[in-house]
Amino acid sequence: MFKQISMLLLGAMAMSMPTIAQEATGAGVAKSIFNPKYNRLKSNKGRFFGHWGYNFSSYAKSDIRFQGPGYDFTLKNVKASDRPTKFGWTYIDPGRITIPQFNFHFGYFIKDNYSISLGWDHMKYVVDIPQTVRFVGHADKIVSEPGVPSGIFGDANDGEYLTLNEGDLYFEHTDGYNFAAVGVERYDDIWVSESRKQSVNTEVGLEGGLLVPRSDVRLFGLGENHYWNVAGYGFAAKAGVQYHFLKWMYLQGSFKTGFTDLSKIRTTGRNDLDKASQIIWFFENYWVLGFRF
């Protein structure tokens, strides 16, 4: 019995020796391109993380193509903006926190400085009205089935510039321009406190996934389409900085840029006949509160 207890104690001491040595020498488990003075002693491998926060976004001009019976035309270089919710109780009300432009990610560390994640970026995309755009293509005076007047589009010539008002086109992905993506991230420590209780690190990553908007479109006076729709796909790259002020909590500010190819945007509500498509390049800035466990 005494021999067995002695062996167990020796085994426990052996397991603790690397940590004691690390604390004495300042060595640690983390690998970083920045080579901070102090190093973390505990690996992230096998840990989970999640974060929640809010974003601002901007969009490059894009071409929007509208197709259906009797028409096939493109509005060139259309300008659009985001629609952030005015700061207030909405951001902290549990029943309303999904109304603003939000970000939610959940992930797992496959190595100390690499993770995989699932994310939902709820952005909002609003075509600026009024604006002047170039009309390319054609539209009959009566389009779709059953037929409806095509308004200013039926009177336009190929290559002509049109000034759009709300009665002509209402086009939004406001509930929203949702990017559901799988990501791969890398982390590098910039600074670790001597106590190892605080740290600052970078995060860079790549994402790919689906666009699942709830679009609100009014075209030819029609538009019963405000429900979920897998409209296309997208890819993005991101970079940010995390400040770990507790062992299990951090603040993060990041930038993300990418493109999305939406080939099945619902327009008039006659989904088997009418649709729109566009490629959107976006730039997103988001701030989140995160947890590791």
Side-chain angles (χ1 to χ4, degrees), residues 128-233:
D128 296 341
I129 296 292
Q131 70 170 290
T132 300
V133 298
R134 189 159 66 97
F135 173 94
V136 175
H138 77 278
D140 297 341
K141 300 287 187 181
I142 301 296
V143 296
S144 195
E145 295 179 10
V148 293
S150 60
I152 64 169
F153 305 112
D155 296 326
N157 298 314
D158 183 33
E160 182 180 347
Y161 282 86
L162 302 177
T163 298
L164 302 176
N165 294 295
E166 273 197 17
D168 306 314
L169 178 67
Y170 185 86
F171 192 101
E172 300 182 351
H173 308 302
T174 48
D175 198 19
Y177 176 59
N178 299 308
F179 185 32
V182 176
V184 177
E185 298 86 18
R186 176 190 166 95
Y187 306 84
D188 287 281
D189 292 338
I190 301 173
W191 170 83
V192 179
S193 68
E194 185 175 0
S195 67
R196 273 75 169 186
K197 293 182 178 179
Q198 299 182 65
S199 63
V200 175
N201 64 262
T202 60
E203 180 205 61
V204 295
L206 298 173
E207 295 182 348
L210 300 176
L211 261 292
V212 192
R214 287 184 68 185
S215 302
D216 191 358
V217 179
R218 300 290 184 272
L219 180 68
F220 314 135
L222 304 175
E224 298 177 1
N225 47 54
H226 197 56
Y227 44 88
W228 301 108
N229 173 40
V230 178
Y233 65 91

Side-chain angles (χ1 to χ4, degrees), residues 7 26 57-58 63 81 87 98 117 170 176 237 239-240 268 288 293:
M7 292 183 68
S57 54
S58 58
D63 298 342
S81 307
F87 186 75
T98 59
S117 68
Y170 185 86
T268 64
V288 297
F293 46 94

Side-chain angles (χ1 to χ4, degrees), residues 16 86 199 236 259:
S16 67
K86 185 178 179 181
S199 63
F259 84 96

Side-chain angles (χ1 to χ4, degrees), residues 12-29:
M13 290 175 65
M15 291 177 65
S16 67
M17 283 176 66
T19 301
I20 295 171
Q22 288 170 351
E23 291 177 350
T25 62
V29 297

Side-chain angles (χ1 to χ4, degrees), residues 49-53 102-106 118-122 179 181 288:
F49 70 90
H51 63 233
W52 174 278
F102 70 83
N103 294 64
F104 172 72
H105 278 245
F106 179 81
L118 297 174
W120 184 274
D121 291 11
H122 175 76
F179 185 32
V288 297

Side-chain angles (χ1 to χ4, degrees), residues 5-43:
I5 293 173
S6 298
M7 292 183 68
L8 287 172
L9 288 171
L10 287 171
M13 290 175 65
M15 291 177 65
S16 67
M17 283 176 66
T19 301
I20 295 171
Q22 288 170 351
E23 291 177 350
T25 62
V29 297
K31 298 178 181 179
S32 173
I33 61 175
F34 297 103
N35 192 28
K37 181 178 179 180
Y38 300 104
N39 212 335
R40 286 182 292 107
L41 303 179
K42 184 177 180 181
S43 174

Side-chain angles (χ1 to χ4, degrees), residues 16-135:
S16 67
M17 283 176 66
T19 301
I20 295 171
Q22 288 170 351
E23 291 177 350
T25 62
V29 297
K31 298 178 181 179
S32 173
I33 61 175
F34 297 103
N35 192 28
K37 181 178 179 180
Y38 300 104
N39 212 335
R40 286 182 292 107
L41 303 179
K42 184 177 180 181
S43 174
N44 288 317
K45 184 178 179 180
R47 299 179 70 184
F48 292 90
F49 70 90
H51 63 233
W52 174 278
Y54 300 98
N55 68 71
F56 297 94
S57 54
S58 58
Y59 307 97
K61 294 179 180 179
S62 68
D63 298 342
I64 307 177
R65 184 179 181 183
F66 296 90
Q67 295 172 278
Y71 68 97
D72 185 350
F73 63 86
T74 300
L75 302 180
K76 306 289 287 185
N77 295 320
V78 178
K79 296 183 291 184
S81 307
D82 69 344
R83 182 177 286 168
T85 301
K86 185 178 179 181
F87 186 75
W89 289 107
T90 302
Y91 286 84
I92 57 176
D93 181 346
R96 305 178 68 197
I97 59 174
T98 59
I99 292 176
Q101 301 175 166
F102 70 83
N103 294 64
F104 172 72
H105 278 245
F106 179 81
Y108 175 76
F109 282 90
I110 56 176
K111 291 186 176 182
D112 175 64
N113 60 338
Y114 283 94
S115 68
I116 55 175
S117 68
L118 297 174
W120 184 274
D121 291 11
H122 175 76
M123 297 174 278
K124 297 185 180 184
Y125 177 97
V126 183
V127 168
D128 296 341
I129 296 292
Q131 70 170 290
T132 300
V133 298
R134 189 159 66 97
F135 173 94

